[in-house]
Amino acid sequence: MAQWTSAVGPAQLARLLNSQQDRPAGPGTRRPPAYRALADGIRLLVLEGRVPVAARLPAERELALSLSVSRTTVAAAYEALRTEGFLESRRGAGSWTAVPAGNPLPARGLEPLPPEALGSMIDLGCAALPAPEPWLTRAVQGALEELPPYAHTHGDYPAGLPALRSMIAERYTVRGIPTMPEQIMVTTGAMGAIDAICHLFGGRGERIAVESPSYANILQLMREAGARLVPVAMADGLSGWDMDRWRQVLRDAAPRIAYVVADFHNPTGALAADDQRRQLVEAARSAGTVLVADETMSELWLDEDVEMPRPVCGFDPAGSTVITVGSASKAFWAGMRIGWVRAAPDVIRSLVAARAYADLGTPVLEQLAVNWLFSTGGWEQAVDMRRVQGRENRDALVAAVRRELPTWEFEVPRGGLTLWVKAGGLSGSRLAEAGERVGVRVPSGPRFGVDGAFEGYVRLPFTVGGAVADEAAARLAAAARIVESGGTGGGEAPRTFVA
């Protein structure tokens, strides 16, 4: 019986491999043999999850034709992968990807690094800051004081605690978008909100338009739901959306859903202007597309003179076209798994009804904690701390990267938590692999794209500052030297870093 569960076609694999090309080798640089480069490329795709484990690879002759190499080169590459444990084969069944015994299965999103590994590894994979104390402790204490009446109930509130729904609705109303509690559903983080929306509107095979690049974990969530992703390129720099491209995609592809991050976009940091928001809402309405606006970064402006545009839902206050997703995870703390959806009441009712077959509801204690923050002014003070910390970390990281890696290109965003960096002609995938060897964890650009796009990029979050930012940039420079040398740098040992 075959051991593979999916298949990768020769053209698809060739496209993914070709996206990994590094800059031309300099004088004296030793390049590996062609079969070794091919084996390394396939191994990287497996380790990053861009080619799944147990995926059947093309036959040697088919892949050789697609890559314009000899069949001997492909055969030697497959043999090297088998020797290393990344490929298994059986006569009559073909060859399929694997991972060596003892290696963790690769994740296709951005999973957090286990806390116990933080002593020797600087984690630039997760764009989340530590909790803003003392506000986390105070919020939990306040929640415990409010808990007793709820403890006498069954504890399941599929739409969320009424008090928190009312508070979130009031916050939208204060922002100039009149909102009723019936337009709010509390979820388990923004991921839980978008998962529910995708299952309601985007059945298997439905088209979903996404910014290109976009947030890696959301892209993977949509892939797992069976969606057909339609990428729409961002405008140059930090100028937001390319509206001509958006209108064309909405008109020609007629996607059921469009997912966007208008406020300090993850990963680029772009801030869409008022007119762009209005035009996108109008185009989505004309196309019959549900526009999902992710506001998880909306309160994280880092420069005090930033003038925030009107929320996307402000151009569709009734919620007939725009579904808004918010969260406490980025502005407050990722461990506070509270998100919410703002939409038309009938959409909220449908989402709540479908929840009976998912998670039933969101933890009561965490909802009470967020409600305490909103009702006491603690939220605003905690977010003010976040902005100061984010600004200091951003400035430290930018200075360190410019000093250690002067050929890397980026524009400095005025808010959010991420820096989108063009890595001087190097492969982002190979930088990520080399970074693990020298003690810095960084996600490569292709995780934020569709079909191998953005190989020349990495994302750097504003989660470290001071001496740690300096050390992170130094380790990235060491990783870059390994990649530039063709992977022959020997892997500089990571230094234990305590800060």
Side-chain angles (χ1 to χ4, degrees), residues 338-468:
I338 298 296
W340 53 86
V341 177
R342 182 197 181 275
D346 62 316
V347 172
I348 295 297
R349 286 193 294 269
S350 296
L351 289 169
V352 171
R355 196 169 196 181
Y357 308 102
D359 62 358
L360 292 178
T362 303
V364 170
L365 188 63
E366 294 183 21
Q367 291 187 71
L368 289 172
V370 172
N371 192 60
W372 183 92
L373 288 166
F374 284 158
S375 61
T376 62
W379 177 269
E380 284 71 24
Q381 295 185 64
V383 173
D384 281 343
M385 290 175 59
R386 271 282 179 262
R387 295 189 190 113
V388 171
Q389 185 178 14
R391 180 167 59 249
E392 291 175 349
N393 286 358
R394 178 198 63 185
D395 295 347
L397 186 65
V398 164
V401 172
R402 282 176 170 164
R403 180 178 63 252
E404 298 286 345
L405 294 151
T407 63
W408 287 21
E409 302 172 39
F410 53 85
E411 291 193 41
V412 181
R414 307 195 67 194
L417 289 172
T418 58
L419 192 68
W420 186 236
V421 181
K422 191 173 184 179
L426 300 179
S427 159
S429 298
R430 297 182 189 279
L431 280 167
E433 183 191 36
E436 295 277 353
R437 295 161 59 185
V438 299
V440 61
R441 183 171 180 266
V442 58
S444 64
R447 291 185 176 232
F448 304 88
V450 178
D451 287 338
F454 308 110
E455 182 59 55
Y457 289 79
V458 293
R459 189 196 72 172
L460 305 180
F462 310 142
T463 52
V464 296
V468 184

Side-chain angles (χ1 to χ4, degrees), residues 183-327:
Q183 290 178 266
I184 302 295
M185 181 177 85
V186 181
T187 62
T188 307
M191 292 287 289
I194 294 169
D195 182 59
I197 294 166
C198 287
H199 279 88
L200 181 63
F201 290 100
R204 186 164 293 275
E206 290 280 5
R207 294 185 180 91
I208 299 181
V210 295
E211 296 151 323
S212 183
S214 187
Y215 178 38
N217 286 341
I218 293 297
L219 294 180
Q220 189 55 28
L221 182 155
M222 293 173 176
R223 291 188 188 101
E224 297 291 343
R228 298 163 60 189
L229 300 183
V230 182
V232 185
M234 297 287 288
D236 292 337
L238 299 177
S239 55
W241 301 318
D242 184 323
M243 288 311 306
D244 288 338
R245 288 173 173 165
W246 268 107
R247 278 188 285 266
Q248 180 181 357
V249 166
L250 292 174
R251 181 183 64 248
D252 297 345
R256 186 71 181 92
I257 300 173
Y259 168 77
V260 297
V261 183
D263 305 296
F264 309 119
H265 172 257
N266 186 353
T268 68
L271 180 65
D274 269 314
D275 194 49
Q276 290 177 321
R277 298 169 189 235
R278 177 186 58 77
Q279 291 182 53
L280 186 57
V281 172
E282 291 174 353
R285 184 182 293 118
S286 297
T289 297
V290 175
L291 183 60
V292 180
D294 186 336
E295 288 191 333
T296 55
M297 297 282 194
S298 65
E299 296 190 61
L300 290 177
W301 61 86
L302 302 182
D303 297 330
E304 294 183 2
D305 60 343
V306 173
E307 293 187 13
M308 289 300 295
R310 192 177 185 189
V312 176
C313 61
F315 300 95
D316 179 49
S320 59
T321 296
V322 178
I323 298 179
T324 303
V325 172
S327 172

